[in-house]
Amino acid sequence: MGNSRKLIKFFLQNNIKFFSGVPDSVLKPFIESLNKFKGIKHQVAVNEGSAVSLAAGWQVATKKLPLIYMQNSGLGNAINPLISLTHKKVYSIPMILMIGWRGEINRYDEPQHVEMGKITKDILKLLNIKTLILGKSVNLQKIKRLILYSLKKKQPVALLIKKELFENDKIGKISKLNNNEIMRFDFLKELVNQISKNTKIVSTTGYTSRELNEIRKNNKSLNGKDFYMVGAMGHTSIFSLGVAEGLVKQSNIICIDGDGSMLMHLGSLFTIANQKKHNFKYVLLNNNCHESVGSQATGIKKTDLKLLSKSLGFKEYLRISKSREMKNIINVFLKKNRYDFLEVKIKNKSIPNLGRPKNLKDIIKKFI
Ligand SMILES: Cc1ncc(C[n+]2csc(CCOP(=O)(O)OP(=O)(O)O)c2C)c(N)n1
């Protein structure tokens, strides 16, 4: 049995049945396995602070111990409720945090993860959260002691998960492909083919930035400049607005977001639509999932994005769901000087051998 199943069984035996969090690649097999067990309540949250607060409310109502999973990048989102809601000096609410350790010390990782990786243990210490690091093997007795500590002291505790813990877990076919026909790569290629020289693109965390970067690498003569939001997930849209507001020379700003990222800080769209910037456009690449970390569903499928964007105050809502309409709708979208919202229904499938944006300092220099 893989470590993820072993741990979930153990949690169930210890009456831990409520799970919430934001997906992470280190925890991918664990999160996927949650859906295969009966008697589990599992809710994917929009951000890590939201997951902690949801679990805290559930704990207050049931007196049972919940588990919240997240990538260590998400600790930033979680700190507010961890220090001002669940902390022992406030309401003292017990829970287990399971944290994927990106930027783990002595292991290569991308720049956006390195600093957080270095300080993750210290942050947990500052938050007074007793932490157990889990590497290749699982010592259930140690975890049991941590659980008892959390219950007795009524405090959050943490399991800090190294990459190797779930690395060899067989998870079967987790990335079920959706029925959308448009590949993100094809859309991005068509978009950069059509944009004018004075267009700047800000693209979201994960595969979107990586694919856009691939397109640029392979064709240096394309118009426009890009900024890749490699970290700060969920802040792509509001960062783009900042760029649109700050530019002295008139440029067109296109924000390319993902559904997971959009939902993480949905309130930013409210600020954006209220500013009514005519040089700002918003594109949502909607694959209904967090594809970059394992295609876990975001739950956005049931939301009417036309209604949402219009009620937030976007000027127009456009949608592309068929490859044959892509070229024309992109053309219409780019031509109009207005703050429109374009939803593109994309397949959750990326091109193989995807590189990563490098030399971030160069990227920011060239952007403006
Ligand atoms: C605060 C934070 N939480 C979690 C992550 C891990 N993470 C990186 S990309 C990603 C998924 C993004 O989903 P979406 O915006 O829908 O784009 P897609 O991957 O589907 O292209 C997640 C959860 C992160 N980088 N930062």
Side-chain angles (χ1 to χ4, degrees):
M1 189 180 358
N3 280 336
S4 40
R5 292 180 77 87
K6 189 169 157 183
L7 271 175
I8 295 168
K9 271 193 158 178
F10 172 77
F11 288 138
L12 287 172
Q13 281 157 9
N14 283 277
N15 210 20
I16 295 163
K17 296 178 177 168
F18 184 94
F19 297 81
S20 180
V22 178
D24 166 45
S25 50
V26 172
L27 307 177
K28 183 159 86 174
F30 178 85
I31 300 164
E32 192 54 31
S33 302
L34 283 175
N35 301 329
K36 298 194 179 120
F37 280 81
K38 287 209 177 90
I40 279 182
K41 188 159 173 58
H42 177 204
Q43 263 170 263
V44 175
V46 292
N47 69 56
E48 293 80 358
S50 180
V52 167
S53 307
L54 171 71
W58 185 86
Q59 197 288 327
V60 167
T62 63
K63 302 283 172 277
K64 291 178 189 154
L65 204 59
L67 185 144
I68 302 93
Y69 59 82
M70 67 180 81
Q71 179 178 102
N72 56 345
S73 324
L75 255 182
N77 284 330
I79 281 180
N80 183 21
L82 286 174
I83 199 81
S84 61
L85 171 65
T86 63
H87 195 274
K88 68 171 177 183
K89 296 273 172 67
V90 189
Y91 278 109
S92 202
I93 301 174
M95 55 180 58
I96 303 177
L97 308 176
M98 178 182 262
I99 303 168
W101 195 359
R102 294 296 303 263
E104 186 191 317
I105 295 153
N106 296 329
R107 184 190 280 277
Y108 173 81
D109 212 329
E110 296 303 309
Q112 66 273 21
H113 292 298
V114 174
E115 289 311 308
M116 189 50 158
K118 275 191 214 156
I119 61 172
T120 298
K121 278 200 294 178
D122 293 339
I123 292 179
L124 291 168
K125 204 167 171 189
L126 278 172
L127 290 166
N128 229 314
I129 294 177
K130 199 177 166 70
T131 301
L132 180 64
I133 297 175
L134 294 186
K136 203 153 201 78
S137 60
V138 177
N139 183 332
L140 293 179
Q141 250 158 28
K142 278 192 182 168
I143 303 175
K144 176 88 187 180
R145 279 203 290 276
L146 194 73
I147 291 173
L148 292 176
Y149 179 93
S150 175
L151 287 169
K152 189 165 165 236
K153 302 269 183 182
K154 293 200 167 74
Q155 285 178 39
V157 294
L159 298 169
L160 186 55
I161 310 295
K162 289 185 170 190
K163 193 168 181 232
E164 66 242 37
L165 180 67
F166 299 127
E167 211 166 30
N168 298 321
D169 282 18
K170 291 200 178 61
I171 39 173
K173 229 176 161 209
I174 71 154
S175 308
K176 266 206 222 124
L177 291 181
N178 64 31
N179 292 327
N180 298 334
E181 62 177 60
I182 298 171
M183 296 287 289
R184 171 183 25 227
F185 190 77
D186 296 335
F187 169 80
L188 292 173
K189 230 165 51 183
E190 184 56 40
L191 183 78
V192 285
N193 259 320
Q194 289 199 34
I195 57 175
S196 60
K197 246 188 162 145
N198 62 347
T199 300
K200 298 187 190 302
I201 295 178
V202 181
S203 57
T204 194
T205 321
Y207 290 161
T208 297
S209 280
R210 293 172 65 183
E211 289 199 342
L212 184 57
N213 183 237
E214 250 355 91
I215 293 167
R216 293 291 189 191
K217 271 197 295 194
N218 296 330
N219 194 340
K220 299 257 188 278
S221 63
L222 288 166
N223 279 337
K225 297 272 188 290
D226 304 337
F227 184 93
Y228 308 116
M229 190 60 100
V230 291
M233 179 179 162
H235 292 298
T236 313
S237 61
I238 203 75
F239 175 88
S240 315
L241 178 69
V243 176
E245 291 191 332
L247 281 173
V248 182
K249 219 173 111 201
Q250 199 51 278
S251 295
N252 299 311
I253 308 299
I254 301 176
C255 168
I256 308 181
D257 217 349
D259 47 310
S261 165
M262 180 186 84
L263 290 171
M264 186 165 269
H265 296 296
L266 190 62
S268 293
L269 291 189
F270 169 82
T271 311
I272 288 165
N274 260 317
Q275 291 312 308
K276 305 193 184 315
K277 295 287 297 179
H278 287 271
N279 62 340
F280 179 95
K281 293 179 191 302
Y282 184 81
V283 178
L284 176 69
L285 296 183
N286 193 358
N287 53 14
N288 304 314
C289 68
H290 295 270
E291 188 196 333
S292 307
V293 289
S295 277
Q296 303 85 350
T298 55
I300 203 168
K301 220 171 171 178
K302 296 174 218 133
T303 305
D304 183 332
L305 289 168
K306 179 173 184 180
L307 266 180
L308 177 78
S309 58
K310 296 285 277 186
S311 60
L312 279 167
F314 279 90
K315 188 82 181 162
E316 274 311 325
Y317 163 89
L318 295 95
R319 175 180 164 149
I320 305 176
S321 51
K322 300 267 171 271
S323 299
R324 62 181 143 77
E325 61 193 19
M326 194 159 74
K327 211 170 176 165
N328 273 346
I329 298 181
I330 289 177
N331 186 262
V332 172
F333 178 65
L334 292 177
K335 250 206 240 142
K336 300 275 165 59
N337 263 342
R338 48 187 203 196
Y339 41 102
D340 286 350
F341 185 112
L342 170 65
E343 180 188 5
V344 189
K345 306 288 262 175
I346 57 161
K347 201 169 226 22
N348 51 332
K349 191 163 187 252
S350 300
I351 58 158
N353 307 320
L354 208 43
R356 289 175 188 273
K358 299 280 171 206
N359 303 322
L360 303 185
K361 301 276 160 49
D362 279 352
I363 289 168
I364 199 166
K365 211 153 99 195
K366 281 186 200 144
F367 183 60
I368 302 294

